[in-house]
């Protein structure tokens, strides 16, 4: 199943076959690379002047586009982050624009096949090039023009480790307030992020700069510096998503409602 077909299925979109022709020979869809047989209903592949992703096409020299890719590419709403940022499954499409929604699916990857795409604010079609995941143990996320791989067991192991460090940090604050006769304050654990990434847009995606509270734990001799090594074993995509995966609030445990075109 191609990515475009899965997206169409998830949103109950029926491709328009009124302008198709019959393939004159066996070929592949120029966009997604799905196999097309002689006699199949296809569209003649015509790139728009604004299209600049020929290098990302499966076969840019192909004469044909499959009906599903043609449908996606001709619907301008798929240029918008709202429709191009989501989890697409055979059971429906789910929003992951909010970090809390993203957290739910990082904790609970859907049953394959599924597609996970995140548009970081640019007006572009990305769902057609997102890999179709056939496993929820190791899967891929289309982050605009980047494809990042996620080892789920490794990511969630790091989340568990981070929660332990949050416990140590929170207890240290409580002990300090008690020692100095200060009124205890509300501790927002979800603000204790591991990395200095810039929100959902992922502007800083190539660094592993740890937040100061983690370094403070080492300097205060509450943990050994070796306990920070676990964060460095993540690839940059896993590190970028860790800030969402480690969210603990109740909303992150609620499966979001599906969305439609």
């Amino acid at each position: 199943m191609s990515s475009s077909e899965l997206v169409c299925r998830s949103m109950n979109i029926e491709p328009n076959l009124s302008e198709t022709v019959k393939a004159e020979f066996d070929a592949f869809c120029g966009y997604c690379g799905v196999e097309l047989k002689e006699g199949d209903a296809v569209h003649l592949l015509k790139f728009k002047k604004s299209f600049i992703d020929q290098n990302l096409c499966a076969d840019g020299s192909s004469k044909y586009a499959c009906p599903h890719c043609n449908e996606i590419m001709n619907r301008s709403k798929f240029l918008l982050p709202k429709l191009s940022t989501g989890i697409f499954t055979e059971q429906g499409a789910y929003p992951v624009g909010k970090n809390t929604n993203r957290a739910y699916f990082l904790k609970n990857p859907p049953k394959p096949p599924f597609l996970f795409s995140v548009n970081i604010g640019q007006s572009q079609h990305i769902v057609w090039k997102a890999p179709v995941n056939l496993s929820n143990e190791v899967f891929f996320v289309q982050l605009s023009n980047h494809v990042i791989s996620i080892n789920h067991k490794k990511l969630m192991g790091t989340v568990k480790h981070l929660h332990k460090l949050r416990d140590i940090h929170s207890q240290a604050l409580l002990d300090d307030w008690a020692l100095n006769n200060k009124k205890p304050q509300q501790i927002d654990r979800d603000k204790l992020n591991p990395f200095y990434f810039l929100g959902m847009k992922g502007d800083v995606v190539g660094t592993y700069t740890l937040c100061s509270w983690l370094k403070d734990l080492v300097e205060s001799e509450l943990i050994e510096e070796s306990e920070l090594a676990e964060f460095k074993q993540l690839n940059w995509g896993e590190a970028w998503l860790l800030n969402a995966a480690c969210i603990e609030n109740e909303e992150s445990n609620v499966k979001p409602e599906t969305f439609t075109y």
Side-chain angles (χ1 to χ4, degrees):
M1 184 189 304
S2 71
S3 52
S4 295
E5 181 180 357
L6 181 54
V7 170
C8 287
R9 283 192 186 187
S10 71
M11 306 188 79
N12 296 315
I13 295 174
E14 288 293 333
N16 182 5
L17 302 180
S18 63
E19 297 181 0
T20 58
V21 298
K22 288 187 177 180
E24 298 175 352
F25 46 81
D26 293 350
F28 298 95
C29 172
Y31 291 113
C32 70
V34 70
E35 187 176 5
L36 303 170
K37 293 292 188 180
E38 180 181 352
D40 284 352
V42 297
H43 291 268
L44 296 177
L45 180 59
K46 296 179 181 178
F47 293 123
K48 295 181 179 180
K49 290 183 179 180
S50 59
F51 187 76
I52 59 173
D53 285 342
Q54 286 90 341
N55 63 313
L56 299 175
C57 289
D59 184 1
S61 63
S62 177
K63 184 179 178 180
Y64 303 125
C66 72
H68 293 101
C69 279
N70 189 75
E71 193 70 29
I72 294 293
M73 299 304 286
N74 283 336
R75 294 194 179 215
S76 59
K77 285 187 177 181
F78 279 105
L79 288 166
L80 306 175
K82 182 178 180 180
L83 281 188
S84 56
T85 297
I87 295 276
F88 301 89
T89 74
E90 292 183 307
Q91 290 72 44
Y94 301 89
V96 290
K98 293 172 61 177
N99 267 333
T100 48
N101 290 345
R102 203 172 298 171
Y104 175 85
F105 285 107
L106 290 172
K107 297 173 187 177
N108 308 280
K111 179 183 176 181
F114 69 94
L115 184 154
F116 193 153
S117 67
V118 179
N119 188 335
I120 59 173
Q122 301 179 39
S123 179
Q124 61 178 328
H125 286 286
I126 68 169
V127 295
W128 64 271
K129 54 193 171 188
V132 175
N133 292 297
L134 302 179
S135 168
N136 54 20
E137 296 177 359
V138 176
F139 54 90
F140 299 95
V141 177
Q142 185 76 37
L143 175 57
S144 289
N145 283 334
H146 302 284
V147 177
I148 56 181
S149 62
I150 306 298
N151 183 311
H152 186 251
K153 183 177 180 180
K154 180 173 68 170
L155 179 64
M156 298 316 296
T158 307
V159 168
K160 183 177 180 180
H161 183 64
L162 179 70
H163 288 172
K164 184 187 76 171
L165 298 184
R166 282 177 173 175
D167 291 340
I168 295 172
H169 175 79
S170 298
Q171 188 59 52
L173 287 176
L174 293 172
D175 292 344
D176 180 70
W177 292 332
L179 182 64
N180 294 284
N181 294 317
K182 293 182 179 180
K183 183 179 179 180
Q185 301 176 27
Q186 182 81 19
I187 300 174
D188 188 347
R189 292 169 60 92
D190 286 337
K191 288 186 177 180
L192 297 174
N193 286 323
F195 294 112
Y196 282 116
F197 289 110
L198 302 183
M200 293 189 301
K201 290 189 176 181
D203 302 76
V204 183
V205 294
T207 66
Y208 292 88
T209 305
L210 290 169
C211 288
S212 58
W213 71 273
L214 287 169
K215 297 177 182 178
D216 290 343
L217 291 180
V218 176
E219 293 176 2
S220 302
E221 299 184 345
L222 292 171
I223 64 170
E224 297 290 333
E225 188 169 5
S226 59
E227 294 211 49
L228 302 182
E230 184 154 349
F231 299 108
K232 301 298 178 77
Q233 48 126 11
L234 302 174
N235 65 43
W236 71 261
E238 292 164 338
W240 180 72
L241 284 170
L242 180 60
N243 281 2
C246 66
I247 292 176
E248 300 180 57
N249 64 36
E250 286 301 316
E251 188 179 354
S252 69
N253 296 318
V254 178
K255 187 176 184 178
E257 297 291 329
T258 59
F259 69 92
T260 57
Y261 183 81

